[in-house]
Amino acid sequence: MNLRQIGCGRVPVWAPAASKVELVTERGRTEMCRRQSGWWVAPTPLPDGTDYAFSLDSGPCLPDPRASLLPTSVHGPSRTWCAPASPGPLPKVQVLGGVMYELHVGTFTPEGTLAAAAKKLPYLKELGVTCVELMPLSAFDGNVGWGYDGINPFSVHAPYGGPDGLIDFIRAAHELQLGVCIDLVLNHLGPVGNYLGQFGPYFTSRHSTPWGDGLNVDQQGLPEPREYLLHAALRLFAIFGVDALRLDAVHAIKDDSPVHLLQELSQLVNNLEQTLGRELTLIAESDLNDISMITPVTEGGMGMDGQWDDDIHHALHVAFTGESQGYYKDFSDPDALRKVYEQVFYHDGTYSSFRKRNWGRPAGNVARWRLVACDQNHDQVGNRGMGDRPNLTAAEAAAEAAMLLLSPFTPLIFMGEEWHTKVPFTFFTSFTDEDVARDVSAGRAREFASMGWADGVPDPQDLATHQKAILDWPAARSAAGARMVKFYRKLISLRQLYHLASTEVPTRLHREGGQITLDRGRVQVHVNLDQTEIGFALPKFCKSLLWNASVQGNAVTLAPKSVAVIYQP
């Protein structure tokens, strides 16, 4: 299928079991024309901006499952959207090996739109960010939510600005030489407004998932459900000009095909790279601790370019907060931090007490920049009962930032952490279906009650839960916030100046109690999390970046809870 024909013109739709499909517009009903393999098209093209729906065998009106825009709700009509001839200038950008920044459009600014977020792009450029990662943008029920319950991966949520808003955001980013990564969900669709199964056998009981029947991507002789997901991904690259996709929870994609969905996507994206003449990046969120995810398809792997590594987050979090409950338990091992920095995965075949089984495989010599690491992200903050940020002092947060930004991995900053925001990011929704809304609220309370959070867990359906997650931009301009932003900016500049993503730069980590030293060759990070000060000699001709530390002559003193970055000019 021509990706430009989707959701516009003759609005093709796949409905193989229907004996009649009608196009419903304000002018009435018009029978569509049957084509091969269960496809239907309108007899004449619809003008751009036309509201329309489909009726299968005289049934109720249904939105187009491939529409770019659902202007009123996930239950209402679709609107045709014709993509521009070109997404605009497509500069060479750095995704993996650079510095990524994750944001949620609905809470990044008070306006909660792509247009408002675009106004902050110069700030992110000045910070040193190279690629902006947007949490899911597909249409979902209600106005506000995390976006992981989207019902149409071809669409852009109307309250965010729809497809035109995304095109404008990407153009603004590219004008600043910033890349754009979209968080795309291919493992399930949301529970409200999901009419996809009424059009055809898109789901199958052969696969069971936490969300119900799995997507039918592996039925022999039935390519359309599989192509539905593949085309949604390719369209973001080809039509919108996106530079990278972060593929959500790929371990939850159930596919028994000889060629896995991810492998086929990798091959298609490689082909598209040749056609477009620019680099396209696929990043998998996988908790399997297995580098087969980023091993080429020709070598039996999934062919992704990069993958998230939660073990790095967990080891940092435990080292700096001391928390050791749940999946953090194993990372209370004093050697955990060294192991993840030097060997990538903590669980590399070792026993995971949380999973109650051996987990993962050794990473070997894989280039470390292919692993995305963070000290905060939407999951690790939002999946806490109160959605609270790490309980760290400014000095501790600065030290953790130094450990992350000067690491060999691709660092990801979660919105607001660069000024040490305390604004929570609790899970929030705005489902209009009363039964689903009630189940989500009760389920959230029940989940955290079992973890000891008996009272006070915010109700996802309460509008205040969303409102409290909106970033506090005035705090970024306060003296304390500005100091932290400046510190982040300097760390990122050191990362770039000393090419710390290069595989030629060594990584060695030593930890003794609360004293941590990260050795990156010409750059060293010294952290003191103990309650007593420590000191060491400043190497000759070296410079320093300090937080709660001091230098007198050639003597460096680290006060309790402090960091010193030492680098050779």
Side-chain angles (χ1 to χ4, degrees):
M1 174 181 286
N2 185 328
L3 298 178
R4 288 193 169 276
Q5 296 176 351
I6 295 171
C8 66
R10 298 182 72 182
V11 290
V13 63
W14 186 65
S19 59
K20 179 178 70 173
V21 177
E22 293 174 292
L23 177 68
V24 184
T25 68
E26 62 178 5
R27 295 186 175 184
R29 291 173 176 250
T30 304
E31 285 200 24
M32 299 184 72
C33 306
R34 186 191 294 271
R35 292 291 184 261
Q36 293 181 343
S37 305
W39 283 93
W40 302 76
V41 296
T44 58
L46 294 180
D48 192 17
T50 301
D51 288 353
Y52 69 102
F54 299 128
S55 172
L56 310 180
D57 294 325
S58 301
C61 292
L62 303 175
D64 183 352
R66 290 172 177 77
S68 299
L69 180 61
L70 299 171
T72 58
S73 78
V74 294
H75 307 291
S78 307
R79 180 169 294 168
T80 55
W81 179 78
C82 295
S86 168
L90 299 171
K92 181 177 176 60
V93 299
Q94 186 177 28
V95 181
L96 295 171
V99 176
M100 302 185 71
Y101 188 99
E102 183 186 32
L103 67 87
H104 175 266
V105 171
T107 55
F108 187 57
T109 66
E111 298 88 348
T113 64
L114 286 157
K119 294 178 181 178
K120 301 293 186 183
L121 290 174
Y123 158 82
L124 295 181
K125 176 68 175 180
E126 185 180 3
L127 184 65
V129 169
T130 63
C131 182
V132 181
E133 179 180 309
L134 304 177
M135 287 177 62
L137 300 177
S138 299
F140 56 83
D141 184 38
N143 286 332
V144 301
W146 276 23
Y148 293 94
D149 46 12
I151 50 80
N152 171 358
F154 291 85
S155 63
V156 181
H157 194 47
Y160 289 168
D164 285 321
L166 180 56
I167 285 281
D168 291 343
F169 180 90
I170 293 172
R171 283 177 173 169
H174 285 168
E175 287 176 1
L176 296 170
Q177 307 292 306
L178 286 171
V180 177
C181 175
I182 304 294
D183 193 340
L184 183 63
V185 181
L186 297 180
N187 52 42
H188 77 287
L189 297 184
V192 181
N194 176 5
Y195 298 104
L196 189 61
Q198 297 188 38
F199 287 89
Y202 282 96
F203 298 92
T204 175
S205 59
R206 296 192 315 277
H207 297 307
S208 177
T209 76
W211 308 280
D213 286 350
L215 285 156
N216 187 18
V217 299
D218 55 3
Q219 182 174 334
Q220 189 172 3
L222 192 73
E224 285 80 7
R226 185 181 183 96
E227 290 173 347
Y228 179 78
L229 300 178
L230 294 171
H231 289 167
L234 295 174
R235 193 164 180 264
L236 285 167
F237 285 127
I239 304 300
F240 288 89
V242 165
D243 303 288
L245 296 178
R246 182 260 195 194
L247 304 176
D248 179 65
V250 296
H251 48 272
I253 297 174
K254 304 297 181 67
D255 182 5
D256 294 331
S257 304
V259 177
H260 192 277
L261 180 78
L262 294 181
Q263 293 176 313
E264 184 173 359
L265 178 59
S266 171
Q267 294 169 326
L268 290 171
V269 170
N270 286 341
N271 294 338
L272 186 60
E273 277 187 326
Q274 301 304 313
T275 301
L276 299 179
R278 66 188 185 96
E279 185 174 333
L280 307 174
T281 301
L282 292 172
I283 303 173
E285 183 211 5
S286 169
D287 78 341
L288 300 178
N289 284 21
D290 191 337
I291 63 164
S292 65
M293 192 61 61
I294 52 177
T295 298
V297 174
T298 54
E299 298 176 19
M302 290 297 174
M304 300 292 99
D305 301 294
Q307 71 181 83
W308 278 33
D309 184 352
D310 283 346
D311 281 16
I312 300 166
H313 168 273
H314 300 344
L316 281 169
H317 187 81
V318 172
F320 279 85
T321 69
E323 294 182 6
S324 59
Q325 73 278 18
Y327 51 71
Y328 291 138
K329 179 181 178 181
D330 294 345
F331 295 87
S332 59
D333 175 0
D335 194 46
L337 194 61
R338 181 206 62 80
K339 184 174 181 181
V340 298
Y341 268 74
E342 295 184 4
Q343 300 176 36
V344 176
F345 300 130
Y346 180 73
H347 289 303
D348 55 4
T350 61
Y351 183 76
S352 165
S353 63
F354 180 73
R355 300 178 179 92
K356 302 187 185 309
R357 55 176 291 189
N358 290 346
W359 198 257
R361 295 198 314 167
N365 295 322
V366 64
R368 277 28 180 176
W369 55 262
R370 300 186 68 183
L371 286 301
V372 178
C374 67
D375 54 25
Q376 297 183 36
N377 65 37
H378 73 274
D379 270 334
Q380 302 305 333
V381 175
N383 288 340
R384 297 168 66 84
M386 303 303 293
D388 49 313
R389 305 281 183 141
N391 185 23
L392 301 177
T393 66
E396 291 168 327
E400 190 177 37
M403 292 290 297
L404 173 69
L405 293 170
L406 302 179
S407 76
F409 313 108
T410 295
L412 177 139
I413 300 168
F414 184 51
M415 59 177 193
E417 74 163 89
E418 73 275 16
W419 66 79
H420 196 216
T421 185
K422 291 300 182 182
V423 169
F425 191 72
T426 313
F427 181 64
F428 52 84
T429 55
S430 57
F431 287 115
T432 59
D433 183 291
E434 293 183 2
D435 291 336
V436 172
R438 183 170 54 252
D439 288 347
V440 167
S441 295
R444 183 78 174 178
R446 186 168 54 250
E447 175 188 0
F448 285 97
S450 68
M451 301 179 188
W453 295 79
D455 300 302
V457 174
D459 180 357
Q461 283 287 122
D462 186 345
L463 183 60
T465 306
H466 164 260
Q467 292 291 318
K468 291 176 181 176
I470 297 172
L471 277 184
D472 54 342
W473 283 95
R477 297 185 291 272
S478 68
R483 182 188 178 196
M484 187 66 78
V485 169
K486 182 179 179 181
F487 192 75
Y488 266 71
R489 190 180 300 131
K490 180 61 177 179
L491 290 172
I492 294 172
S493 70
L494 290 175
R495 176 182 181 84
Q496 296 167 340
L497 178 64
Y498 290 94
H499 306 288
L500 295 185
S502 170
T503 56
E504 301 299 316
V505 178
T507 300
R508 292 179 290 270
L509 189 142
H510 176 75
R511 180 181 182 185
E512 185 173 341
Q515 300 176 28
I516 304 167
T517 301
L518 173 62
D519 183 355
R520 300 300 322 282
R522 296 172 64 195
V523 180
Q524 292 191 342
V525 182
H526 299 267
V527 175
N528 181 18
L529 298 178
D530 283 338
Q531 297 299 326
T532 57
E533 71 176 32
I534 59 175
F536 62 91
L538 180 69
K540 194 173 183 180
F541 304 123
C542 283
K543 295 185 177 181
S544 61
L545 175 64
L546 310 172
W547 195 296
N548 210 23
S550 61
V551 175
Q552 290 186 338
N554 69 339
V556 181
T557 301
L558 289 173
K561 315 297 184 185
S562 62
V563 60
V565 178
I566 308 301
Y567 54 98
Q568 299 176 14

